Amino acid sequence: MTWLHGLWAEDPPVMAEDFPLSSVRFPSMEPEEGCALRCVCGPDSGQETRCWSIGPLLRFPPPNTKGNSRAQNCSGNMMRSSSSLQTIIMSSDGDKQPAEETSESVNASSAPSPETELTVTIGATVPTGFEHTAAEEVKEKIGVDARVSRDRGRIYFPVSTDKLFQVHRLRSVDNLFVVVKEYDQYHFKESKEETLMELQELASKLPWTNALEVWRLNRTLKKKKGHRKGGHSTRAKPDSEVCDTAEQQQQEPAQEQSGDAPDTESQPPETAAEEKLVKFRVTCNRAGDKHSFSSNEAARDFGGAVQEFFQWKADMTKFDVEVLLNIHNEEMVVGIALTEESLHRRNISHFGPTTLRSTLCYGMLRLCKLQASDIILDPMCGTGAIPLEGAIEFNSSFYVAGDNNDMAVSRTLNNICHMQKRRAEKGSSPGLPVDTVQWDLCRLPVRTGSVDVIITDMPFGKRMGSRKKNWDLYPSCLREMARVCRPGSGKAVLLTQDKKCFSKAISRMGGLWKKLHTVWVNVGGLHAGVYLLKRTAGVFGQTPEDVHESPARVYKQTDEKEDD
């Protein structure tokens, strides 16, 4: 009987040979009758050890064994992951060794099993300006410290695989990826050709094992959104989450995780490789003006090297794995995407012309530090993104959403009903602490001083309204907000891109509002500000601006807003 050891033979493969599995003894599993052990390293050429494989558990294609140029790919594929290939070595002298020693040797060389906890670095894209808010959420919900990247809009934090499901519950992150390798100071060559050649060589040197294992585990955690025809995943957006390609592939890793060995008899490695060939694409995000190459060139050459190394098939739309190449000046991060579509679309089913991202809504809600039993008002709710996010995540407060546009109110109601239906299907309580009203912003049907927090997305004057109308609208709505907000303790969190008009309107409030903090964010490519205001103890109606405000002018401003 021959024992298996966790060693590696370096000679390139020459030809494949088949041996009956009954002649080999596995330290950690019982051989199945009729199964064959396939040599992937080549015939004995005077060496002491040889490399074998019992086939890919994740249906990764076997390495191309033709030519010396594929030798490195063979070794890379063999050592890559226990989920892709279980690599074992058979001693040529056939000496028996203790089972304990053999088991330790195999475990040392192979990648961690699904039951083994890995600690990896997770990267997350977040709304620009709310990086520290996202880091605070990671600390609260996962219990680890997050690092804010020098490239705005990204954070990184360590996490073990047993907490991977908690990562997907974060409310402040748009997209998630597992870091393969991070370079703080990557020295790019001055020549474009040398740089691209270096990126090609880098693909075979990266430590892919743990990242691919996390990617595989991530597939078992994600909930399918529906059966897909033909077993292919469809992607609505390129920045989205790697989705399950077939129900069978979602069930197979789950069986491995629960300890059930895959049926190698019913599905030989060669058949599995032909049935499911892994498809991938490389996405490069580059920022900086000192690079001699473009994003497309980097993605093209690095992607070609990844394809050469793994023998995967490139597919720009229906891909299983999305490899990320993020370059910011001298900082470079290689990762594998864990999200299929951006998490900021989680609440909204009926979109409007200026629907706010749910992740940005979450950042704005955290900024005002909501308390239990607070009354939250969104006087320009649009599609209801802000109150809906608040009702789900901060459900100890009550939210009132309103708008003067009947279509906006209808979208908000549809989004609330859609979310209630989803919650009921999951077995959760469908009720949400939110209500919707159609009203006039400048004449709110709300009692004076009865609202704790006002939070809204004001018209930028781009897609909605105009800059000219904002000069009349902003002072009127800020004054009405000051009336309904609780003096001394009330707050307002307002988002706008019309910074000049907003600052001028605040200065005309007669001290009713005090600016506490400003967060600069990127909203659809526009540089906007999230302003945190505090309602002062000043009595509404006693400032010079209020005394000299004529009702006719207020009605005129209201009519202009309704025309928007």
Side-chain angles (χ1 to χ4, degrees), residues 111 124 276 320 395 424:
K276 173 57 184 162
D320 306 302
N395 54 14

Side-chain angles (χ1 to χ4, degrees), residues 357-375:
R357 291 184 293 169
S358 297
T359 48
L360 184 55
C361 297
Y362 177 83
M364 295 172 65
L365 288 161
R366 280 188 67 105
L367 194 61
C368 54
K369 301 185 184 302
L370 301 177
Q371 303 297 320
S373 74
D374 277 351
I375 303 298

Side-chain angles (χ1 to χ4, degrees), residues 500-511:
K500 183 178 179 181
C501 181
F502 182 82
S503 299
K504 186 67 174 179
I506 288 291
S507 66
R508 294 173 54 188
M509 290 299 100

Side-chain angles (χ1 to χ4, degrees), residues 230-299:
H232 294 290
S233 58
T234 58
R235 299 175 61 97
K237 291 232 175 210
D239 60 343
S240 37
E241 195 177 7
V242 182
C243 45
D244 299 321
T245 54
E247 187 177 20
Q248 184 179 0
Q249 270 124 36
Q250 186 184 20
Q251 294 173 350
E252 184 178 348
Q255 292 178 352
E256 295 173 29
Q257 190 170 5
S258 62
D260 298 334
D263 187 1
T264 53
E265 259 188 284
S266 60
Q267 205 144 29
E270 293 81 4
T271 305
E274 295 175 359
E275 178 183 330
K276 173 57 184 162
L277 183 65
V278 174
K279 299 178 182 180
F280 85 106
R281 84 169 190 182
V282 173
T283 302
C284 178
N285 301 297
R286 184 185 63 86
D289 53 0
K290 296 183 178 180
H291 302 135
S292 59
F293 55 91
S294 66
S295 299
N296 289 336
E297 291 171 336

Side-chain angles (χ1 to χ4, degrees), residues 36-96:
L37 186 67
R38 180 173 173 271
C39 171
V40 295
C41 264
D44 194 355
S45 56
Q47 290 196 348
E48 192 175 5
T49 57
R50 300 169 67 183
C51 178
W52 310 84
S53 169
I54 60 172
L57 297 182
L58 266 186
R59 304 179 180 181
F60 283 79
N64 192 333
T65 59
K66 296 181 181 180
N68 293 335
S69 63
R70 296 285 195 261
Q72 190 176 9
N73 291 345
C74 177
S75 63
N77 283 332
M78 293 299 298
M79 298 297 289
R80 185 163 62 249
S81 171
S82 63
S83 62
S84 58
L85 293 176
Q86 282 205 357
T87 305
I88 48 181
I89 303 296
M90 185 175 72
S91 174
S92 60
D93 55 11
D95 294 338
K96 294 183 179 181

Side-chain angles (χ1 to χ4, degrees), residues 213-231:
E213 180 68 15
V214 171
W215 171 80
R216 187 189 68 81
L217 290 175
N218 186 70
R219 288 165 63 94
T220 68
L221 296 175
K222 289 199 323 278
K223 297 179 180 179
K224 291 170 65 69
K225 296 183 178 179
H227 299 285
R228 294 169 176 83
K229 296 180 180 180

Side-chain angles (χ1 to χ4, degrees), residues 353-418:
T354 58
T355 301
L356 204 60
R357 291 184 293 169
S358 297
T359 48
L360 184 55
C361 297
Y362 177 83
M364 295 172 65
L365 288 161
R366 280 188 67 105
L367 194 61
C368 54
K369 301 185 184 302
L370 301 177
Q371 303 297 320
S373 74
D374 277 351
I375 303 298
I376 318 298
L377 186 70
D378 184 355
M380 295 177 278
C381 65
T383 56
I386 294 175
L388 194 53
E389 178 68 21
I392 295 171
E393 185 64 15
F394 306 97
N395 54 14
S396 59
S397 302
F398 187 78
Y399 301 83
V400 181
D403 204 289
N404 72 326
N405 189 301
D406 56 347
M407 291 185 63
V409 174
S410 177
R411 292 191 189 102
T412 300
L413 286 172
N414 288 331
N415 286 324
I416 293 174
C417 293
H418 176 73

